[in-house]
């Protein structure tokens, strides 16, 4: 199947249109309208003045975008604002806001996600959609372009759309023609008449080609590719091949394509939340059947709910282990719905719902043992999933082991639903006491000690104004800092496991050694055993 790409170009974004509504001059007074003839009620409103966006370029304010009235009166991007005002005295200019344009383009990309999961940015002010195998879901390529055009026009968006066989060809045709649909294999015939600007060349390359008398892509296509590469580099020849449709490179979508996806599109928007719930149930059951056929389970389930006004809500749930249990996924979805700060609002209705499973893993059916441990583990896993759905993945954590000898870094916390990782915890020998305490202080707490010999274990120590007499002590266990870490040098630590007269056990260490040239070392309490 040949690839098909849909390019959308927005010469004037809706953020600019909103600025126009705010900056438009007030209507003429009623007396002035009466002088023009006709009553105030019967006279048509005056057309809005042309609007342009400007920014400082090469020491002057220059136009970066024009609305349709400005284009109709001969203005174009690149013209200085002074020249534009000389031509149109009533021109309205607004300072360009690239950041607002970027946010609006990202919102438009989320809107186009309902037509295909492969959507990429196509700067400046454009989007590229890989619609291979998607157009038939909307009645064909012509129907797809018409549907997108109606939706964008309803939002006040001026745009051009083109479907071609390569991203470069669709990009060039959307910007330098009126757009449309190029039949498969017809990219070269459609693009040969385009100007060299369609290749998006560096200014010095474009100037050199124009001085050589080359004006269109056809002029370049007739020249040997090796000669062009030798003179201007391989980039020019590659751009020419891709724009002519001779070579295709895939787009890089904003959102990676999921491993499994099921969706529903509606001829009429859904207005009732009960209808949405029924659709979600069917999608979850369908995804479970697909995963069962593959022998896989999902770790992440993302529900994308598209409203008819272009808004997109995404509800994401995670599981601690692979799952294709439709009932469990639905419980997590409902749990997540109940915790939304901004409740789901149908507005003018939902016109599409998609369930994507971005992360899938192998899931084999195991025979549970008769000791009941499998049932307990499953119950704990379900509880963790529900807690994550209600409080968020960053608030439900678990420990994993780290490959280090430093007790301060032997463990770290990660989200409970993260894939298994880290190193295995060391298993103690039977009937041996634990080598590490259950509770660690961060940072270690200073203590006052009295030792029989300078480098020996303490005889007694004071912690939190309570004096503890040592009955037993074991050590030292010398732990040096990790030499490969950057930062100030840290002294080695001598750790002792000690027990006081009341049977309480502590884990203490001495930082540094007794040396005549340095200050005496300090003692710290690092942890408590049971």
């Amino acid at each position: 199947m040949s690839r098909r790409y849909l390019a959308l170009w927005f010469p004037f974004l809706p953020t600019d249109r909103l600025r126009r509504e705010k900056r438009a001059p007030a209507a003429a007074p009623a007396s002035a309208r009466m002088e023009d003839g006709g009553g105030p009620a019967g006279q048509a409103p005056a057309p809005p003045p042309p609007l342009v966006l400007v920014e400082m370029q090469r020491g002057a304010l220059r136009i970066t975008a024009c609305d349709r009235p400005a284009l109709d009166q001969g203005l174009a991007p690149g013209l200085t604002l002074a020249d534009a005002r000389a031509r149109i005295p009533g021109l309205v200019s607004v300072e360009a806001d690239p950041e607002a344009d970027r946010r609006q383009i990202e919102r438009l990309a989320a809107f186009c996600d309902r037509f295909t999961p492969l959507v990429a940015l196509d700067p400046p002010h454009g989007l590229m959609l890989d619609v291979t195998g998607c157009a038939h879901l909307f009645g064909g390529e012509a129907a797809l372009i018409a549907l997108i055009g109606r939706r964008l026009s309803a939002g006040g968006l001026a745009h051009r759309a083109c479907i071609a066989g390569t991203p470069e060809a669709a990009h060039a045709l959307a910007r330098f023609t009126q757009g449309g649909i190029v039949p498969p294999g017809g990219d070269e015939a459609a693009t040969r008449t385009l100007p060299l600007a369609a290749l998006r060349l560096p200014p010095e390359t474009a100037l050199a080609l124009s001085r050589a008398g080359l004006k269109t892509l056809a002029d370049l296509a007739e020249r040997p590719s090796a000669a062009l590469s030798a003179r201007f580099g391989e980039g020019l020849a590659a751009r020419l091949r891709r724009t002519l449709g001779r070579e295709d490179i895939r787009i890089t979508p904003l959102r990676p394509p999921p491993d499994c996806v099921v969706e529903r599109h509606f001829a009429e928007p859904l207005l009732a939340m009960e209808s949405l719930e029924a659709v979600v149930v069917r999608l979850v059951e369908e995804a479970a059947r697909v995963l069962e056929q593959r022998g896989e389970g999902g770790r992440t389930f993302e529900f994308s709910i598209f409203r008819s006004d272009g808004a997109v809500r995404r509800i994401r749930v995670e599981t601690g282990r692979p799952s294709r249990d439709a009932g469990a996924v639905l419980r997590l979805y409902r749990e997540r719905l109940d915790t939304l700060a901004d409740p789901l609002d149908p507005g003018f209705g939902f016109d599409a719902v998609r369930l994507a499973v971005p992360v899938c893993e192998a899931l084999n059916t195991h025979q549970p043992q008769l000791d009941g441990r499998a049932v307990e583990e499953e119950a704990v896993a379900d509880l963790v999933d529900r807690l994550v759905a209600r409080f968020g993945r960053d608030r439900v954590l678990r420990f994993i082991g780290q490959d280090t000898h430093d007790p301060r870094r032997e463990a770290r916390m990660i989200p409970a639903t993260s894939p298994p990782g880290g190193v295995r915890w060391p298993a103690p020998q039977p009937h041996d006491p634990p080598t590490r305490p259950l509770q660690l202080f961060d940072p270690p707490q200073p203590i006052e000690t009295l030792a029989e010999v300078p480098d020996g274990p303490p005889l007694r120590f004071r912690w939190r104004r309570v004096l503890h007499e040592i009955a037993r002590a074991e050590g030292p266990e010398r732990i040096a800092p990790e030499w490969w870490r950057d930062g100030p040098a840290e002294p080695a630590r001598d750790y002792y496991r000690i027990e006081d007269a009341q049977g309480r056990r502590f884990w203490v260490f001495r930082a540094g050694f007794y040396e005549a040239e340095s200050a005496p070392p300090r003692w710290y309490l690092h942890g408590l055993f049971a």
Side-chain angles (χ1 to χ4, degrees), residues 336-356:
R336 191 75 183 90
L337 275 185
D338 294 339
T339 61
L340 290 178
D342 182 14
L344 200 60
D345 180 15
F348 293 101
F350 305 112
D351 56 6
V353 181
R354 173 184 298 157
L355 170 57

Side-chain angles (χ1 to χ4, degrees), residues 298-299 317-323 325 328-329 331-332 335 363 372-390 396 398 415-418:
R299 292 290 302 271
V317 298
E318 298 182 63
T319 58
R321 54 185 178 176
S323 174
D325 185 349
V329 175
R331 286 194 298 271
L332 295 178
E335 193 87 27
L363 176 60
R373 294 187 59 183
V375 177
E376 295 178 359
E377 293 176 357
E378 184 175 355
V380 172
D382 291 342
L383 174 61
V384 170
D385 294 341
R386 292 181 59 189
L387 292 175
V388 171
R390 176 164 290 274
V396 184
R398 62 181 175 89
T417 54
S418 299

Side-chain angles (χ1 to χ4, degrees), residues 34-160:
M34 292 292 291
E35 293 176 359
D36 292 336
Q43 186 177 1
L51 173 67
V52 296
L53 300 182
V54 297
E55 67 178 4
M56 186 64 66
Q57 296 179 356
R58 302 193 301 274
L61 284 176
R62 297 182 181 273
I63 297 176
T64 61
C66 309
D67 67 351
R68 175 52 57 185
L71 292 174
D72 293 341
Q73 298 190 41
L75 302 185
L79 187 68
T80 63
L81 180 60
D83 292 341
R85 289 196 183 280
R87 300 181 187 183
I88 308 174
L91 182 67
V92 177
S93 63
V94 178
E95 184 178 358
D97 188 352
E99 183 62 24
D101 294 342
R102 182 192 62 79
R103 293 193 298 266
Q104 183 63 15
I105 284 290
E106 291 177 352
R107 288 193 291 267
L108 291 172
F111 162 77
C112 292
D113 194 42
R114 70 190 66 200
F115 305 111
T116 173
L118 304 179
V119 181
L121 300 181
D122 186 24
H125 296 174
L127 295 173
M128 188 65 63
L129 286 64
D130 188 341
V131 295
T132 306
C134 300
H136 71 281
L137 301 175
F138 304 93
E141 293 180 349
L144 175 60
I145 283 186
L147 174 61
I148 295 177
R150 289 194 301 270
R151 295 290 184 85
L152 296 177
S153 298
L157 274 162
H159 69 282
R160 290 183 193 169

Side-chain angles (χ1 to χ4, degrees), residues 413-495:
M413 302 183 72
I414 63 173
T417 54
S418 299
V423 299
R424 296 178 60 88
W425 299 104
Q429 295 296 326
H431 310 295
D432 280 359
T435 59
R436 296 290 185 267
L438 297 178
Q439 178 182 353
L440 289 179
F441 294 110
D442 185 20
Q445 300 190 9
I447 57 177
E448 300 175 2
T449 63
L450 174 64
E452 184 176 5
V453 293
D455 292 331
L459 296 177
R460 63 181 64 88
F461 71 93
R462 188 184 302 276
W463 175 52
R464 294 180 179 176
R465 295 181 294 181
V466 177
L467 183 64
H468 297 267
E469 296 288 342
I470 305 304
R472 298 177 181 85
E474 182 181 4
E477 177 189 2
R478 180 161 296 177
I479 299 178
E482 297 169 331
W483 59 266
W484 57 86
R485 291 187 180 272
D486 296 332
E490 298 179 1
R493 301 180 174 191
D494 283 349
Y495 278 87

